[in-house]
Structures are given as structure tokens and as C-alpha cells.
Amino acid sequence: MAGVEEEEAFEHTLLVVREVSVYKIPPRTTSGGYKCGEWLQSDRIWSGRLRVVSCGDRCEIRLEDPASGDLFAACFVLPGQREAAVETVLDSSRYFVLRIEDGRGKHAFVGLGFGERNEAFDFNVALSDHEKYVKREHEKEAADGGEENDDGQIDIHPAVNRRLKEGETIRINVKNKPSTGSGMLSSAGLSGGASAKPKASMLLAPPPGSAGKLRSPLPPPPNDPAAARMNSGSNAGIRAPKEPAKRNSDAFSDLSAMKQNLPSSTESAQTKSTGAGWAAF
């Protein structure tokens, strides 16, 4: 009893269709398949509810009474045997042929019909979902079993001794870095040497207003009339400040000026003699 309850707890309903029809079908005459066009309405033997249930690896298609829930027939789909248990007909997508069993080893083939195409499509999807579920479970069990086997195996290969033996040496070739500037100095256009020159991009640009002007390396001569006209036109109304008189640092320059102002001794003697002559007259 406990085992039956445990099995029922793992049942999962995949699809429920409220009303389907079951037909008594004639034996298959050819190996091509069944045709629902050969079934007559008088061959319908039952109508009721269909339920697709997943029970572990097995999928069950149960035909039940909608009022009482009594089981009319069941079709068991085992892993890898879907085509043997459920077969599609050749002339319609709403009809199938089921292989039903009575649980005592006897089986029979009956026709199954859905009223709508969507119900028949959902029936196919439910069977496909069960097959995918079983496949995933088998792959998971295989992966878990492989991991357990790997853990149980013992590595018999000895560890490789990579230590240097006595007298062995290791030679490492290191490339010398160039002595020129590198890193942040090279990216900024500078180098560590004293003779390094900055790049042209590091020089300051001239001011914007002086781009169209050209400066003469030497000033024009003082008596140049062209320069005088230019200065008079540009500096009209502006007086240049007077330069303060330069103070002569020569101590004897004043004496030379006084000498020029005073009369000479000869001129004074002539003046005296002339004055005496006039006095004699």
C-alpha cells in the first residue's frame, strides 16, 4: 500500500482533454498505415475524458469516465517505443491509433479522435515533453555516475620530480631596455637625458593677434622719412615723453664750458691797450 501511494505521488499530469472519441477500427490491410476515412460513425464505441500522465520513465494515456473517473482503457508509452504505442493516421491530423492493454498481457488497437486540431496538437506536445524529460534525467544520471567513478579511481602515475639536479643551472635571457626616454616621459615628448629636446608639439604657439604681423629684426634708421610717416600716422596726437637730460659724468666738462665763455688773455690785453689809447686822445 505504501509503495502504491509513493508511485502515485510521483505522477504528473501533462494534459487533460474533456471529450474524445474511441473507435473500433478494421485490421490494417497494407503496411502503409491506417486511414480514418475507413472508420464509420457506427464504429464509435466510447467517448469521455483523456488524461496524459507521466509516471517516471513511463507515460500513460488514460481514457476515463468524466463523471465517475473510472478507467475505460490505458495506453502505456515506454521510453523509445512511442511509435509502437501511438500511431498517426495518413489522412488526418486529429486521429490516432492507440495500442491499449488490459494489464494481463493482452492488447488491442483502437482509434482515437479529437474534436479540435488544437487538442490533437497539444496531445503530441505532451508526449514530446515527456520524452525530453526522460532524456534529461538519463543524461543527468550518467553524468553523476561518471563523476562518482572518477572520484573512486586512484591515480597510479607517480608525481614528476621537476627539481634541479646537482650541477644543473637555468639561463634566463633578459633583453636590455633602450636608454632613451620611455613610459610617461616618452609619451609626453620628453626623455631622461640632458641633451633631449622637446617635441614641436610641446612648444608654445604664438598669440592669436600676431599671426598676420611680421616684425623687423632691426629698427629703422632715425632719419628714415617712411618710418617718420608711419610713426606720425599711428601716433598722431600722442607726444613721446621727453628723455631726461643725461648728466655728464666728466668732472672737467664744466671747466671747458667756462673756458669758452671767458675771453682769452690776448683779447683782454688788446682791449686794455685800446682803452689806453683812447684815453690819451
Side-chain angles (χ1 to χ4, degrees), residues 41-249:
Q41 288 295 330
S42 59
D43 294 335
R44 188 173 66 173
I45 58 178
W46 183 85
S47 62
R49 182 179 63 193
L50 178 141
R51 208 154 56 97
V52 180
V53 181
S54 176
C55 303
D57 292 345
R58 187 179 72 250
C59 181
E60 296 183 3
I61 302 172
R62 300 177 182 178
L63 303 176
E64 302 173 343
D65 185 88
S68 61
D70 294 339
L71 182 64
F72 171 74
C75 174
F76 303 101
V77 182
L78 300 178
Q81 300 181 9
R82 175 179 173 179
E83 291 78 7
V86 181
E87 186 178 350
T88 59
V89 298
L90 301 177
D91 54 350
S92 178
S93 61
R94 296 187 296 112
Y95 291 87
F96 302 85
V97 175
L98 302 182
R99 183 178 184 272
I100 60 176
E101 298 180 5
D102 60 354
R104 291 177 294 181
K106 294 183 179 180
H107 66 274
F109 293 94
V110 296
L112 174 67
F114 293 91
E116 301 291 338
R117 292 183 183 273
N118 295 336
E119 295 174 349
F121 176 79
D122 294 340
F123 176 70
N124 279 322
V125 171
L127 297 178
S128 299
D129 290 344
H130 174 75
E131 290 180 344
K132 293 178 182 178
Y133 165 76
V134 173
K135 184 178 180 180
R136 286 196 303 266
E137 290 296 322
H138 288 174
E139 291 177 354
K140 184 178 179 181
E141 291 177 359
D144 294 342
E147 292 179 358
E148 292 179 358
N149 293 334
D150 293 342
D151 295 339
Q153 292 180 358
I154 300 176
D155 189 8
I156 60 176
H157 299 284
V160 180
N161 185 7
R162 301 184 182 278
R163 293 180 296 179
L164 295 177
K165 297 181 181 180
E166 185 177 357
E168 291 183 349
T169 59
I170 296 177
R171 182 178 180 181
I172 301 175
N173 296 327
V174 180
K175 295 182 179 180
N176 296 327
K177 294 184 178 180
S179 58
T180 57
S182 60
M184 296 178 63
L185 294 177
S186 62
S187 62
L190 303 176
S191 62
S195 61
K197 296 181 180 180
K199 293 183 179 180
S201 59
M202 298 299 296
L203 299 177
L204 296 177
S210 62
K213 296 181 181 180
L214 297 176
R215 295 183 178 180
S216 178
L218 295 176
N223 297 328
D224 190 1
R229 286 195 300 270
M230 292 176 61
N231 294 333
S232 62
S234 60
N235 300 327
I238 301 176
R239 287 185 178 180
K242 295 182 178 180
E243 295 183 359
K246 295 183 180 181
R247 192 173 183 180
N248 197 348
S249 60

Side-chain angles (χ1 to χ4, degrees), residues 23-29 34-35 38-40 43 97 109 111:
Y23 298 87
K24 180 182 178 180
I25 59 176
R28 181 166 47 185
T29 58
Y34 293 94
K35 292 182 179 181
E38 300 175 355
W39 307 344
L40 303 176
D43 294 335
V97 175
F109 293 94

